[in-house]
Amino acid sequence: VATMQGIVITNDIAVSDMANLHHPVRHFLGRELRAGRLPLWLPDVYTGYPIQAEGMMGTFYPPNLLLFGLLPPLPALNLSVLWPFFVAAFATYALARKLGASLWPSLVAAVAYSLGGYYIVHLKHVPIVHTACWIPLVWLVIELGLGGKRRYLLLAGLIWAIQWLAGSPQLAYYSVGAGLAYYLGRAIQTRQVRKTAPVMVIALLLSFGLAAVQIWPTAELTGYSERAGGVGFDFASSFGYKLESLKTFLYPYANGDPGTASYQILGLFWEDYAYIGLLPLFAGLLGGLWLARRSGLARLLLLIAGVTFLLGLGELTPIFRLAYTWVPGMDLFRFPQRLQAVMTLCLALAAALSLTRFQDWLAQTAVWKNWSARISL
């Protein structure tokens, strides 16, 4: 992909979403942009289709306008596959550093999150990756805003708008919800709710205003679909998380490899899979629990990780049914496992903080001091 010798076509139930949808519509996007036309209507499907309202093409998503408006389809597609990894990595690294993690633990968090299983298996779902990669950047600007420069909180609204335009309303919705939860937790911890809440309300309204060009027509088109007024609980929880998939946090192919047709359970590998490596997993869970005794930040990260994990279990836990019934918007989507984008970020950040604490403790031990002295000699 990086050398432009091929494109990503991963296996799926019916060939691949990349082959069936994401690549063709982006080819159309580039063709229309280079012809000087606004790609609102696709004449090549049935008697025509409001492709911009459908949303997954990402008509007004700035990176799509840049790449597909300037480059031929295949290089544009490959670059659009690659760059979200860098956004996720650098944003996670910067966020971990801002939260107090040292250099190497921050790098561990950045690599674990950006190259984790969630991003790899969702490569064929281009809008999901394009939306999820901005989540750590939202949290970073929230930290900057709570650090004394409240205007930075407005950037959260700008990033949320970019996510709404990326083509995955579900991940944008999850990002807004998780971002508000993170903001509220951190604002309470820093005692800045009163000072910053009005700015966050403006940021939220700003996000919807800037993305209305996509949200409004998508909502109108949804009104003509089976999702008008929400979907039934059975649909929302269909293809839900399988408990056997918990083993893939320890070993990716514990239930078989879908690439070789050896996957053994009645679930979707690419929806349940979120491997981040053993070091980040145990450092995030066990180290995070150890830190949580004295760190409000660690408690918040583990709380968000726990809630998103439980919601991701779908019908296996009553918390998902409660959210489906009472939280506006939760009845519009299926595959709640996609909340693992938030859960894995929390674990990666908790790992960075606990590894930093371990690194500090190790630096004070006699063995480390002696070893460092020998290295210096």
Side-chain angles (χ1 to χ4, degrees):
V1 174
T3 59
M4 304 301 160
Q5 300 301 304
I7 60 175
V8 174
I9 302 293
T10 61
N11 65 314
D12 207 327
I13 295 174
V15 185
S16 171
D17 283 1
M18 182 71 85
N20 296 340
L21 173 65
H22 301 306
H23 177 50
V25 297
R26 281 161 180 75
H27 189 287
F28 169 74
L29 172 66
R31 185 184 76 191
E32 294 298 287
L33 290 174
R34 289 190 295 275
R37 296 188 292 265
L38 196 59
L40 304 179
W41 185 265
L42 178 65
D44 305 321
V45 175
Y46 302 120
T47 56
Y49 190 77
I51 191 65
Q52 184 269 329
E54 190 272 345
M56 282 194 282
M57 183 169 69
T59 307
F60 297 104
Y61 187 50
N64 282 352
L65 292 174
L66 180 65
L67 289 175
F68 292 94
L70 297 178
L71 300 176
L74 295 182
L77 183 70
N78 280 353
L79 290 175
S80 73
V81 165
L82 292 172
W83 72 258
F85 290 99
F86 292 93
V87 173
F90 283 109
T92 303
Y93 174 82
L95 175 58
R97 294 288 280 169
K98 178 63 178 175
L99 294 177
S102 55
L103 189 148
W104 287 106
S106 297
L107 284 175
V108 169
V111 172
Y113 185 64
S114 63
L115 294 178
Y118 185 92
Y119 281 85
I120 299 299
V121 296
H122 282 298
L123 274 180
K124 61 187 173 189
H125 303 138
V126 178
I128 290 179
V129 176
H130 278 217
T131 307
C133 70
W134 297 100
I135 296 175
L137 192 60
V138 172
W139 292 18
L140 176 61
V141 298
I142 287 174
E143 284 294 326
L144 293 173
L146 293 175
K149 299 179 180 178
R150 280 175 283 175
R151 62 181 179 275
Y152 277 103
L153 294 174
L154 295 176
L155 292 177
L158 176 62
I159 301 169
W160 280 331
I162 291 174
Q163 290 181 302
W164 284 113
L165 296 174
S168 176
Q170 181 178 18
L171 261 292
Y173 171 84
Y174 289 161
S175 176
V176 171
L180 290 175
Y182 182 81
Y183 156 75
L184 184 60
R186 293 294 286 153
I188 291 174
Q189 290 174 355
T190 57
R191 299 181 180 179
Q192 295 194 61
V193 176
R194 288 187 179 181
K195 292 181 180 179
T196 59
V199 185
M200 281 303 295
V201 171
I202 295 173
L204 189 61
L205 295 175
L206 179 67
S207 71
F208 290 115
L210 291 174
V213 66
Q214 183 63 68
I215 296 174
W216 193 352
T218 298
E220 183 179 357
L221 182 62
T222 302
Y224 293 99
S225 76
E226 63 179 355
R227 301 196 184 200
V231 299
F233 182 80
D234 289 340
F235 183 85
S237 58
S238 61
F239 294 103
Y241 193 87
K242 300 296 184 289
L243 288 179
E244 299 96 319
S245 296
L246 290 173
K247 294 183 290 186
T248 62
F249 280 103
L250 301 176
Y251 175 59
Y253 298 122
N255 298 314
D257 180 358
T260 60
S262 61
Y263 194 55
Q264 301 166 1
I265 64 176
L266 295 176
L268 298 179
F269 180 84
W270 50 88
E271 297 297 343
D272 292 357
Y273 181 69
Y275 179 81
I276 59 172
L278 297 180
L279 175 61
L281 176 66
F282 289 114
L285 280 176
L286 302 180
L289 288 171
W290 177 69
L291 279 180
R293 299 176 301 166
R294 293 181 297 235
S295 170
L297 174 58
R299 289 194 293 271
L300 176 63
L301 291 173
L302 291 181
L303 176 62
I304 296 177
V307 171
T308 51
F309 173 73
L310 291 175
L311 285 172
L313 292 179
E315 63 180 350
L316 297 178
T317 61
I319 188 174
F320 175 71
R321 184 177 285 275
L322 287 173
Y324 169 85
T325 303
W326 297 106
V327 179
M330 282 294 290
D331 61 347
L332 293 175
F333 311 107
R334 60 176 178 169
F335 301 130
Q337 305 98 302
R338 291 174 181 176
L339 276 164
Q340 291 179 129
V342 178
M343 180 199 68
T344 51
L345 174 61
C346 291
L347 289 179
L349 293 173
L353 296 176
S354 64
L355 289 173
T356 297
R357 186 67 64 89
F358 176 74
Q359 188 180 49
D360 294 340
W361 170 82
L362 192 63
Q364 301 301 317
T365 62
V367 174
W368 180 267
K369 290 179 179 178
N370 292 336
W371 184 79
S372 298
R374 291 180 181 180
I375 292 295
S376 63
L377 291 176

